[in-house]
Every structure is written in structure tokens, then in C-alpha cells.
Amino acid sequence: MTVTLPRVSIIGLGPGGPDLVTSGTLAEIARVPVRFGRTRRHPAASVLGEASWFDGRYETAATMDEVYRQIADAVVEAACIEGEVLYAVPGAPAVAERTVQLLLAEDRVECTLHSAMSFLECAWTRLGVDPIATSVRVVDGHQFAADAAGERGPLLVCQCDSPLVLSEIKLAVEEWPEEPIVVLQRLGLPDEHVFEVSWADLDRDVAADHLTSIFIPQLASPVGFELQQFEELVRVLRDGCPWDAEQTSLSLRKYLLEECYELLEAIEAYEPETGEGAEEFCEELGDVLFQVFFHARIAAEDGWFTIADVARTVHDKLRARHPHVFDGSPVKDLAELAVNWHAAKASEKQRDSVFDGIPAELPALL
């Protein structure tokens, strides 16, 4: 016996106004009376006619992934009631649409994707770039640190819809590229805007909106793959694990202390000449690193600093404390190095004594 599943017809509204919506899409809209749209914030939204929209989900959900899952669930539930529904997304359904991927993975409904024009066709035209000949990779701005890991460019970064996203993209790259970045906004619309901006001004001079993408011709050095993956893992754990989600910097103190003591034990047991204990040493270093990333993640959620700020702060501090390495300042011996180090530290912290700033609860470890 053949079981007929509820159907979801998935269409794309194209990258711009109603003139870029395909005739096949218009025919499908006319055929299916029960219609849903992911967002009304699209210049061609009017072609959908009478429809239900999911813009309100963006205001109530805690994360973007939760928004997309709620939308997909709502579409599936409606299809199970109505038998068949239409679901419209910006651009093309198969390009940078998380809700579509969630719907295709559903076993409760049968999904049909209809071809549509995406923003990519407009982007290649405006850039004058052949994406195949130049091996351009398209990545999601919300996942730039993870998706662009190990890449040197060229990259077309879509969904750069807020200053925060642009700032995170900017800080994910250690060595900023000298070549200007091309900003593409509202392609295919009367107020289309294509211009260049320096990497330093990426999050300052760009008024980001939901139709903003950027083209990065080349990166001076690839985004650090392992650390970016690790940062993404910490974020996912924070969002998805109930225990991780309820932690605070204060509640993590005892775990940080435990990991530091375990690291000290691993150092004591490590034999650098034979390599004995190296695996344990590496593991304990990783556990302490997790604590650093976890605390930085919590601080980032509170709006104070990110792991990039942590790395940049210690980078700048160590560079300033090593003028003999970076500025060619002469130094006689290790004793003078130690004097200069403590002098620089006292100047930075505005301390009168080397004992200032030592935690009162510091145990006698050495």
C-alpha cells in the first residue's frame, strides 16, 4: 500500500524585485492556495499574495538556528493539516537557505524544489567574476569563522545582515588583507549599491542590511582552522547543552582550578627527552584551553569581549614587553631582561611593587 505524504512546494522569490521572479514560480503561486513566506522583508514579497509570514519568529527565538527550526516545523505541521502548502524563500531555495535544508531532511512530508534566480547571478555580473575560473567559495556570514577556516579566497560572503556579523568576520582574520573588499547591497533593485571598503572599516563604513554581501578577493593568511572549529564547538555546546548553558564565569571557577592542577601534574610527569607523558600533557593543555574559550564565550554573550579580544590583548602585551625582539632595543643579559620585564609590567598595571596584584588566595605551588 502506497502512503501519500503531505507536500511542500518550495519556491524562491529571486534576488530583487518582482521582475526577477520566474514564470514557473508565479505559476506555482497560482496553483497552491495555502502559502507561507519566510520573511516579508523582500522586494518581491507582494507576488505571493495572501500568505502567512514568519517574521515574528525572529523576535521571539533565542538563536537563528531555533528560528529556522521553528519555521520548518510550522511548515510541516501546516502541510500535514492542509495536504499541500507553498513555502517561499528569498533568492533561490537551494542557495544559503537553512530552512529548506531542514525541510528536505523531514520524513513527514514530500518536498519539491522549484528553480529560481539567486543573488549569485547578480553578484557575478556586478563583480565581473567567473566563479568557476577563479574558484570562488560562497560562505555564510553567520558561520564565517568556521566555513572560511583554512581559506585564502576569493570568498563571496552572504547574509552579512548586521554590524555584529561584519565585526565577527573582521576579527576572524588575523592578518588583514591590503586589497579592498567589495560590498554588494540590494542587487537588482533601484537602490543597488556596490562599493569598496578597507578591511579595517568593514564594520564601520557599511550600513549592513538583509541584502548585504561582501566579496573578499584574497586573504593574506588563512583563517586558523583548528581554533575556529574549536570556538564554533564551544558556541554550539553553550547553545545546545543544558549544563553548559547554565554556567557562569563564577560557577566555572572550581573547574578552571581543577584543570590547572591537573595540568601541573601532567607537567611534572612529562619527560621531554623520551616523550613519556606527552599525550597527557597535550590533553590537559586542551582542557585549560577549553576553560579559556568558555569564559570568553560567556563574556561575548554579555557584550564585553570575545576570544579574539583575548588573543589580541595578550599578543599586544607580549609584543610591548619584548622591545629587544621587535624594536631592536639592546639588552646585556637575562638579568637585565627580567628587570625590564617587571618595569614594563609595573608601568602597564601602575604598580609600585612586584607584590602588587598577587591574588590573596594564591597557593604556594612552587
Side-chain angles (χ1 to χ4, degrees):
M1 178 179 176
T2 302
V3 178
T4 302
L5 293 174
R7 296 174 56 84
V8 179
S9 180
I10 306 175
I11 63 169
L13 297 177
D19 58 311
L20 296 180
V21 178
T22 67
S23 58
T25 295
L26 294 174
E28 196 63 12
I29 292 173
R31 187 186 71 82
V32 183
V34 182
R35 307 165 192 145
F36 295 87
R38 179 167 69 77
T39 175
R40 195 191 294 268
R41 294 180 61 197
H42 190 280
S46 59
V47 303
L48 207 56
E50 185 176 347
S52 300
W53 302 92
F54 293 112
D55 295 85
R57 305 275 180 165
Y58 293 85
E59 305 298 328
T60 57
T63 66
M64 290 302 297
D65 189 64
E66 184 179 337
V67 170
Y68 298 145
R69 291 185 183 279
Q70 286 184 7
I71 292 174
D73 286 342
V75 171
V76 170
E77 290 172 5
C80 291
I81 295 173
E82 301 291 343
E84 183 177 20
V85 298
L86 183 87
Y87 177 55
V89 298
V95 178
E97 271 300 328
R98 174 65 174 150
T99 56
V100 172
Q101 297 305 314
L102 292 171
L103 286 170
L104 291 175
E106 273 285 350
D107 56 9
R108 293 177 290 171
V109 294
E110 179 183 348
C111 295
T112 303
L113 265 63
H114 299 273
S115 298
M117 184 176 178
S118 76
F119 78 99
L120 294 175
E121 286 78 12
C122 292
W124 308 139
T125 301
R126 299 297 182 269
L127 291 168
V129 167
D130 181 338
I132 296 177
T134 55
S135 301
V136 181
R137 183 176 175 190
V138 181
V139 299
D140 185 340
H142 288 261
Q143 301 292 326
F144 179 83
D147 292 352
E151 297 289 335
R152 288 188 178 274
L155 299 170
L156 180 63
V157 189
C158 61
Q159 300 194 42
C160 302
D161 49 22
S162 72
L164 177 60
V165 171
L166 291 176
S167 181
E168 290 179 344
I169 292 172
K170 172 181 167 180
L171 294 175
V173 176
E174 294 180 9
E175 188 176 347
W176 292 359
E178 295 182 1
E179 192 171 353
I181 308 306
V182 182
V183 180
L184 307 110
Q185 295 187 299
R186 300 175 292 280
L187 298 182
L189 295 175
D191 62 343
E192 174 183 297
H193 193 200
V194 180
F195 61 98
E196 292 184 344
V197 65
S198 70
W199 193 263
D201 295 326
L202 184 59
D203 55 351
R204 302 172 186 167
D205 293 350
V206 180
D209 61 18
H210 63 292
L211 298 177
T212 296
S213 301
I214 62 173
F215 179 70
I216 307 172
Q218 187 176 20
L219 291 172
S221 60
V223 179
F225 180 67
E226 288 82 3
L227 290 179
Q228 295 296 347
Q229 271 198 325
F230 189 49
E231 182 182 16
E232 177 66 10
L233 173 65
V234 173
R235 184 195 66 79
V236 171
L237 291 176
R238 178 71 169 167
D239 291 341
C241 174
W243 187 89
D244 288 71
E246 72 176 12
Q247 298 308 308
T248 66
S249 292
L250 285 177
S251 71
L252 289 173
R253 289 175 61 192
K254 60 180 180 180
Y255 302 107
L256 174 58
L257 187 60
E258 288 175 7
E259 299 298 354
C260 287
Y261 273 116
E262 291 177 8
L263 174 57
L264 288 172
E265 289 182 2
I267 293 173
E268 292 288 341
Y270 172 53
E271 293 290 343
E273 295 180 358
T274 64
E276 183 179 351
E279 186 175 341
E280 292 78 8
F281 189 8
C282 178
E283 180 181 349
E284 297 304 335
L285 281 172
D287 290 341
V288 173
L289 184 65
F290 173 58
Q291 290 294 317
V292 173
F293 272 67
F294 203 163
H295 282 274
R297 181 71 232 170
I298 294 172
E301 292 170 1
D302 293 337
W304 297 117
F305 60 83
T306 67
I307 190 64
D309 296 319
V310 174
R312 184 171 51 254
T313 298
V314 71
H315 168 278
D316 294 347
K317 179 171 67 176
L318 291 175
R319 187 181 178 95
R321 291 186 185 178
H322 288 80
H324 54 287
V325 175
F326 300 103
D327 299 334
S329 302
V331 63
K332 292 184 299 184
D333 50 31
L334 293 179
E336 185 177 349
L337 274 180
V339 171
N340 292 345
W341 175 277
H342 289 299
K345 186 173 182 179
S347 176
E348 291 169 8
K349 304 292 186 179
Q350 297 183 345
R351 293 171 180 168
D352 298 324
S353 167
V354 293
F355 295 105
D356 291 344
I358 296 178
E361 299 177 357
L362 184 68
L365 297 176
L366 301 179

